[in-house]
Amino acid sequence: MKTYYRDFLIRDWEPRDRVNAAEVIGSVLSEYGLTWEPRRADRDVVDVETFYQTVGGEFWVIEYQGKVVGTSAYYPIERGKNAVEIRKMYLLPEFRGQGLGKFLLQQLEETIANRGFQEIWIETASALKEAIQLYESSGYQPTTGVETKRCDRVYVKQL
């Protein structure tokens, strides 16, 4: 994956991004009063190779002027019908409100659909109000079955 949105480069994660991606995610979680959990909910960021690359998922970073300012990812999951879960959609606060999140979600959906998946699941926390608004306005339906301790909401969308 390599595409642009305005002055932002969206590209595949590389091992050199490990620390920067983790810092972005940790910073955004902290902003919302949530905790970075490298041994639990965020272990996939510490080991992108195992959690995404070897199972047919993708992890993208968003760069602005050479600096990682956001992340987004998905991987196949067992629940649902031929399903994936979108994970780690985070943007630093100064880069929100420009349509980038909506563009990222559309790019993820298009990529996922082109790969033949039929359902997308997303888990999130109520504190992430902007994310919830984005998901709901993009056709994601609330459902049940949260699996991540830090999250209290789960959504699904049929493709």
Side-chain angles (χ1 to χ4, degrees):
M1 154 59 107
K2 183 176 181 180
T3 191
Y4 289 88
Y5 177 80
R6 297 184 185 169
D7 293 333
F8 297 93
L9 167 63
I10 303 161
R11 63 169 176 79
D12 288 322
W13 178 93
E14 298 173 5
R16 66 183 169 95
D17 299 316
R18 193 177 323 273
V19 170
N20 292 330
E23 286 174 353
V24 165
I25 293 166
S27 172
V28 173
L29 288 169
S30 176
E31 172 190 351
Y32 287 92
L34 301 169
T35 306
W36 163 254
E37 300 175 357
R39 291 191 178 94
R40 294 197 320 248
D42 301 306
R43 68 185 183 276
D44 56 328
V45 179
V46 176
D47 189 4
V48 170
E49 295 88 345
T50 299
F51 284 87
Y52 294 93
Q53 295 175 335
T54 63
V55 298
E58 296 185 61
F59 194 107
W60 302 340
V61 296
I62 298 89
E63 282 187 10
Y64 179 74
Q65 297 180 347
K67 179 184 177 207
V68 174
V69 300
T71 61
S72 60
Y74 72 91
Y75 56 54
I77 56 172
E78 295 296 318
R79 69 176 165 189
K81 181 179 178 186
N82 194 17
V84 299
E85 181 176 342
I86 288 180
R87 296 184 49 85
K88 307 307 180 201
M89 247 187 89
Y90 293 102
L91 288 172
L92 292 175
E94 59 267 33
F95 301 102
R96 296 182 203 140
Q98 303 176 44
L100 180 57
K102 185 172 186 155
F103 179 80
L104 276 172
L105 186 58
Q106 290 169 342
Q107 291 297 303
L108 285 164
E109 289 176 350
E110 185 179 308
T111 299
I112 290 164
N114 287 341
R115 295 199 50 212
F117 292 102
Q118 296 174 290
E119 283 183 357
I120 300 174
W121 291 70
I122 299 175
E123 291 191 6
T124 192
S126 291
L128 301 169
K129 294 185 188 326
E130 298 92 340
I132 291 167
Q133 184 178 15
L134 173 63
Y135 303 145
E136 290 179 352
S137 69
S138 299
Y140 287 82
Q141 299 298 312
T143 190
T144 58
V146 173
E147 295 178 350
T148 305
K149 190 175 181 179
R150 177 172 67 211
C151 298
D152 61 357
R153 290 178 180 242
V154 61
Y155 291 88
V156 66
K157 183 176 183 176
Q158 307 296 321
L159 296 175

